[in-house]
């Protein structure tokens, strides 16, 4: 292709990061619980989350919170999968230090990615950062292997595990009943339904035709 715009675009060797609706890039890697291939987890929800580095304060606080909430993710049919560019020996030493120092066993696998191949495939490397540390990325992958939600936080701000549970429950609710979840929705709250967009339907619904609540279908 020629032209002023295409000629001036920067040439990048980095793969285009996946977006919502894309298939989750597959990978096989060593983890703290043995080798794992992402596509072997098809049929389950997966919450793949990257962290900048082992043995760092914010990451440690997140791992403690994820570990304490792990049973709640399991009850929702969701596997937790941590990842950083640190090596497997580093991950193992850090998880042991968390167990000894905080009395918390990390029950989910943590993927090593020393070549940064996975981080690159997912776009987890912060372009503005001067190190190879990954951002705090979260990729919610559905049972068909499709990325359904992505969140990105900087290294300096810890994520809310409660919010990630809420996000997972909202995605599952949306799938179950073909509805939408409004701001701050929690299981049991009313959902919203996309109304029919015809003059007759709008006239019948009234002035607030563009925001209609409906009872939530229980899980
Ligand atoms: C942390 O988890 O505390 C952290 C990690 C990387 C950079 C800054 C903070």
């Amino acid at each position: 292709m020629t032209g002023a715009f295409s000629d001036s675009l920067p040439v990048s060797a980095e793969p285009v990061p996946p977006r919502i609706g894309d298939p989750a890039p597959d990978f096989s890697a060593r983890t703290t619980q043995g080798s794992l291939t992402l596509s072997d987890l098809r049929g389950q929800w997966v919450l793949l989350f990257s962290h900048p580095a082992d043995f760092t304060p914010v990451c440690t606080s997140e791992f403690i919170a994820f570990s304490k909430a792990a049973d709640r993710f399991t009850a929702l049919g969701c596997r937790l999968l941590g990842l950083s560019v640190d090596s497997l020996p580093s991950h193992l030493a850090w998880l042991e230090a968390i167990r000894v120092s905080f009395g918390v066993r990390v029950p989910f696998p943590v993927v090593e990615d020393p070549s940064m191949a996975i981080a690159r495939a997912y776009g987890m490397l912060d372009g503005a950062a001067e190190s190879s540390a990954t951002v705090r990325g979260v990729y919610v992958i559905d049972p068909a292997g499709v990325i359904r939600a992505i969140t990105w936080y900087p290294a300096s701000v810890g994520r809310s595990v409660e919010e990630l549970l809420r996000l997972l429950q909202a995605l599952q609710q949306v799938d179950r009943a073909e509805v939408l979840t409004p701001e701050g929705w929690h299981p049991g709250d009313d959902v919203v339904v996309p109304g029919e967009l015809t003059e007759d339907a709008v006239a019948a619904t009234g002035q607030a035709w563009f925001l209609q609540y409906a009872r939530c279908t229980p899980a």
Side-chain angles (χ1 to χ4, degrees):
M1 191 163 97
T2 57
F5 289 112
S6 59
D7 290 347
S8 62
L9 286 174
V11 177
S12 167
E14 294 291 317
V16 177
R19 297 186 180 183
I20 290 172
D22 287 344
D26 199 14
F27 61 81
S28 296
R30 297 198 305 175
T31 85
T32 50
Q33 296 182 7
S35 295
L36 176 145
T37 298
L38 181 68
S39 53
D40 286 347
L41 303 181
R42 288 277 159 79
Q44 304 168 75
W45 288 82
V46 175
L47 193 132
L48 170 66
F49 63 99
S50 62
H51 64 277
D54 296 349
F55 291 101
T56 50
V58 178
C59 297
T60 302
S61 71
E62 290 184 332
F63 265 60
I64 291 171
F66 273 121
S67 298
K68 289 181 174 172
D71 286 349
R72 296 165 68 196
F73 283 97
T74 303
L76 293 166
C78 180
R79 297 282 295 268
L80 292 171
L81 208 50
L83 177 144
S84 83
V85 301
D86 294 288
S87 68
L88 186 55
S90 168
H91 286 341
L92 290 169
W94 183 40
L95 299 198
E96 177 61 5
I98 291 174
R99 192 186 66 76
V100 170
S101 305
F102 299 100
V104 172
R105 193 185 75 80
V106 174
F108 49 84
V110 186
V111 175
E112 72 160 358
D113 186 28
S115 71
M116 298 186 282
I118 305 169
R120 285 214 166 88
Y122 278 81
M124 292 167 173
L125 294 168
D126 182 353
E130 288 168 3
S131 76
S132 60
T134 51
V135 293
R136 298 187 194 282
V138 176
Y139 301 79
V140 185
I141 303 167
D142 73 11
V146 173
I147 295 177
R148 298 291 299 279
I150 299 173
T151 72
W152 263 40
Y153 277 44
S156 50
V157 177
R159 292 161 282 202
S160 162
V161 170
E162 282 299 328
E163 171 57 13
L164 294 171
L165 274 162
R166 196 194 71 83
L167 170 61
L168 174 65
Q169 289 169 307
L171 289 167
Q172 294 181 342
Q173 173 66 55
V174 163
D175 282 5
R176 204 161 37 238
E178 290 187 21
V179 293
L180 313 172
T181 60
E183 186 279 329
W185 179 89
H186 280 90
D189 291 351
D190 284 354
V191 292
V192 291
V193 283
E196 198 188 329
L197 291 182
T198 63
E199 284 182 347
D200 285 350
V202 166
T205 310
Q207 278 192 334
W209 57 270
F210 47 88
L211 175 57
Q212 291 297 309
Y213 287 94
R215 288 303 304 151
C216 170
T217 320

